[in-house]
mmCIF file of all heavy atoms in Angstrom:
data_model
loop_
_atom_site.group_PDB
_atom_site.id
_atom_site.type_symbol
_atom_site.label_atom_id
_atom_site.label_comp_id
_atom_site.label_asym_id
_atom_site.label_seq_id
_atom_site.Cartn_x
_atom_site.Cartn_y
_atom_site.Cartn_z
ATOM 1 N N HIS A 60 -13.024 19.942 6.309
ATOM 2 C CA HIS A 60 -12.193 21.158 6.468
ATOM 3 C C HIS A 60 -10.783 20.648 6.548
ATOM 4 O O HIS A 60 -10.287 20.197 7.552
ATOM 5 C CB HIS A 60 -12.551 21.933 7.702
ATOM 6 C CG HIS A 60 -11.919 23.249 7.777
ATOM 7 N ND1 HIS A 60 -12.398 24.298 8.598
ATOM 8 C CD2 HIS A 60 -10.943 23.831 7.086
ATOM 9 C CE1 HIS A 60 -11.713 25.351 8.409
ATOM 10 N NE2 HIS A 60 -10.761 25.027 7.534
ATOM 11 N N LEU A 61 -10.085 20.800 5.415
ATOM 12 C CA LEU A 61 -8.753 20.302 5.253
ATOM 13 C C LEU A 61 -7.674 21.297 5.926
ATOM 14 O O LEU A 61 -7.970 22.472 6.059
ATOM 15 C CB LEU A 61 -8.321 20.066 3.845
ATOM 16 C CG LEU A 61 -9.199 19.047 3.084
ATOM 17 C CD1 LEU A 61 -8.661 18.767 1.664
ATOM 18 C CD2 LEU A 61 -9.317 17.732 3.851
ATOM 19 N N PHE A 62 -6.552 20.728 6.236
ATOM 20 C CA PHE A 62 -5.539 21.507 6.999
ATOM 21 C C PHE A 62 -5.197 22.802 6.158
ATOM 22 O O PHE A 62 -5.118 22.799 4.991
ATOM 23 C CB PHE A 62 -4.341 20.578 7.097
ATOM 24 C CG PHE A 62 -3.254 21.133 8.053
ATOM 25 C CD1 PHE A 62 -3.579 21.454 9.343
ATOM 26 C CD2 PHE A 62 -1.953 21.133 7.605
ATOM 27 C CE1 PHE A 62 -2.552 21.945 10.202
ATOM 28 C CE2 PHE A 62 -0.971 21.585 8.477
ATOM 29 C CZ PHE A 62 -1.198 21.971 9.758
ATOM 30 N N TYR A 63 -4.787 23.818 6.914
ATOM 31 C CA TYR A 63 -4.672 25.146 6.359
ATOM 32 C C TYR A 63 -3.259 25.486 5.861
ATOM 33 O O TYR A 63 -3.140 26.357 5.011
ATOM 34 C CB TYR A 63 -5.079 26.256 7.416
ATOM 35 C CG TYR A 63 -4.071 26.401 8.384
ATOM 36 C CD1 TYR A 63 -3.077 27.383 8.376
ATOM 37 C CD2 TYR A 63 -3.975 25.481 9.588
ATOM 38 C CE1 TYR A 63 -2.111 27.452 9.330
ATOM 39 C CE2 TYR A 63 -2.964 25.630 10.460
ATOM 40 C CZ TYR A 63 -2.078 26.625 10.389
ATOM 41 O OH TYR A 63 -1.079 26.752 11.311
ATOM 42 N N HIS A 64 -2.265 25.006 6.470
ATOM 43 C CA HIS A 64 -0.925 25.536 6.285
ATOM 44 C C HIS A 64 -0.466 25.586 4.844
ATOM 45 O O HIS A 64 -0.617 24.551 4.092
ATOM 46 C CB HIS A 64 0.123 24.724 7.107
ATOM 47 C CG HIS A 64 1.361 25.543 7.305
ATOM 48 N ND1 HIS A 64 2.347 25.703 6.342
ATOM 49 C CD2 HIS A 64 1.797 26.240 8.380
ATOM 50 C CE1 HIS A 64 3.328 26.426 6.859
ATOM 51 N NE2 HIS A 64 3.074 26.782 8.071
ATOM 52 N N PRO A 65 0.100 26.715 4.332
ATOM 53 C CA PRO A 65 0.455 26.858 2.942
ATOM 54 C C PRO A 65 1.576 25.866 2.530
ATOM 55 O O PRO A 65 1.683 25.612 1.283
ATOM 56 C CB PRO A 65 0.914 28.302 2.735
ATOM 57 C CG PRO A 65 0.859 28.906 4.131
ATOM 58 C CD PRO A 65 0.258 27.949 5.042
ATOM 59 N N MET A 66 2.381 25.398 3.461
ATOM 60 C CA MET A 66 3.411 24.414 3.110
ATOM 61 C C MET A 66 3.022 22.977 3.266
ATOM 62 O O MET A 66 3.863 22.090 3.254
ATOM 63 C CB MET A 66 4.627 24.708 4.014
ATOM 64 C CG MET A 66 5.327 26.073 3.651
ATOM 65 S SD MET A 66 6.715 26.381 4.771
ATOM 66 C CE MET A 66 7.858 25.040 4.294
ATOM 67 N N ALA A 67 1.727 22.707 3.389
ATOM 68 C CA ALA A 67 1.294 21.383 3.768
ATOM 69 C C ALA A 67 0.307 20.764 2.712
ATOM 70 O O ALA A 67 -0.699 20.125 3.124
ATOM 71 C CB ALA A 67 0.683 21.381 5.170
ATOM 72 N N ARG A 71 -2.772 17.879 3.102
ATOM 73 C CA ARG A 71 -4.143 17.957 2.566
ATOM 74 C C ARG A 71 -4.380 16.761 1.597
ATOM 75 O O ARG A 71 -5.477 16.218 1.538
ATOM 76 C CB ARG A 71 -4.364 19.313 1.875
ATOM 77 C CG ARG A 71 -4.493 20.455 2.818
ATOM 78 C CD ARG A 71 -4.842 21.738 2.180
ATOM 79 N NE ARG A 71 -3.758 22.254 1.454
ATOM 80 C CZ ARG A 71 -2.708 22.858 1.907
ATOM 81 N NH1 ARG A 71 -2.642 23.108 3.238
ATOM 82 N NH2 ARG A 71 -1.696 23.304 1.157
ATOM 83 N N ASN A 118 -9.106 24.344 1.539
ATOM 84 C CA ASN A 118 -7.879 25.102 1.668
ATOM 85 C C ASN A 118 -6.883 24.760 0.509
ATOM 86 O O ASN A 118 -5.699 24.546 0.777
ATOM 87 C CB ASN A 118 -7.218 24.846 3.046
ATOM 88 C CG ASN A 118 -7.856 25.624 4.068
ATOM 89 O OD1 ASN A 118 -8.173 26.807 3.911
ATOM 90 N ND2 ASN A 118 -8.204 25.001 5.186
ATOM 91 N N TYR A 148 8.456 20.208 5.971
ATOM 92 C CA TYR A 148 7.350 20.778 6.847
ATOM 93 C C TYR A 148 7.387 19.976 8.165
ATOM 94 O O TYR A 148 7.580 18.798 8.226
ATOM 95 C CB TYR A 148 6.026 20.548 6.144
ATOM 96 C CG TYR A 148 4.938 20.969 7.064
ATOM 97 C CD1 TYR A 148 4.625 22.311 7.292
ATOM 98 C CD2 TYR A 148 4.202 20.063 7.846
ATOM 99 C CE1 TYR A 148 3.608 22.687 8.187
ATOM 100 C CE2 TYR A 148 3.225 20.485 8.734
ATOM 101 C CZ TYR A 148 2.913 21.799 8.887
ATOM 102 O OH TYR A 148 1.995 22.204 9.735
ATOM 103 N N TRP A 150 5.142 20.422 12.200
ATOM 104 C CA TRP A 150 3.971 20.950 12.814
ATOM 105 C C TRP A 150 4.302 22.375 13.411
ATOM 106 O O TRP A 150 3.438 23.264 13.390
ATOM 107 C CB TRP A 150 3.511 20.056 13.943
ATOM 108 C CG TRP A 150 2.259 20.565 14.606
ATOM 109 C CD1 TRP A 150 2.174 21.185 15.783
ATOM 110 C CD2 TRP A 150 0.945 20.478 14.152
ATOM 111 N NE1 TRP A 150 0.907 21.506 16.116
ATOM 112 C CE2 TRP A 150 0.062 21.070 15.069
ATOM 113 C CE3 TRP A 150 0.389 20.001 12.945
ATOM 114 C CZ2 TRP A 150 -1.295 21.183 14.902
ATOM 115 C CZ3 TRP A 150 -1.007 20.156 12.767
ATOM 116 C CH2 TRP A 150 -1.820 20.719 13.750
ATOM 117 N N MET A 152 5.845 24.726 12.297
ATOM 118 C CA MET A 152 5.859 25.829 11.307
ATOM 119 C C MET A 152 4.483 26.487 11.301
ATOM 120 O O MET A 152 4.353 27.555 10.645
ATOM 121 C CB MET A 152 6.126 25.285 9.942
ATOM 122 C CG MET A 152 7.571 24.776 9.771
ATOM 123 S SD MET A 152 7.779 24.092 8.059
ATOM 124 C CE MET A 152 9.526 24.028 8.056
ATOM 125 N N GLY A 153 3.545 26.008 11.958
ATOM 126 C CA GLY A 153 2.201 26.646 11.997
ATOM 127 C C GLY A 153 2.040 27.697 13.067
ATOM 128 O O GLY A 153 1.024 28.342 13.121
ATOM 129 N N ASP A 154 3.101 27.925 13.883
ATOM 130 C CA ASP A 154 2.956 28.930 14.870
ATOM 131 C C ASP A 154 3.105 30.323 14.310
ATOM 132 O O ASP A 154 3.584 30.508 13.201
ATOM 133 C CB ASP A 154 3.959 28.690 16.011
ATOM 134 C CG ASP A 154 5.417 28.962 15.668
ATOM 135 O OD1 ASP A 154 5.644 29.529 14.657
ATOM 136 O OD2 ASP A 154 6.238 28.596 16.564
ATOM 137 N N MET A 158 4.904 31.917 10.718
ATOM 138 C CA MET A 158 3.965 32.405 9.612
ATOM 139 C C MET A 158 4.309 33.881 9.357
ATOM 140 O O MET A 158 4.329 34.278 8.254
ATOM 141 C CB MET A 158 2.532 32.303 10.081
ATOM 142 C CG MET A 158 2.142 30.851 10.291
ATOM 143 S SD MET A 158 1.918 29.882 8.834
ATOM 144 C CE MET A 158 0.332 30.337 8.334
#
Side-chain angles (χ1 to χ4, degrees):
H60 190 162
L61 300 185
F62 191 53
Y63 74 97
H64 199 282
M66 291 177 65
R71 287 184 292 280
N118 280 316
Y148 177 78
W150 183 258
M152 290 178 168
D154 71 10
M158 299 288 277

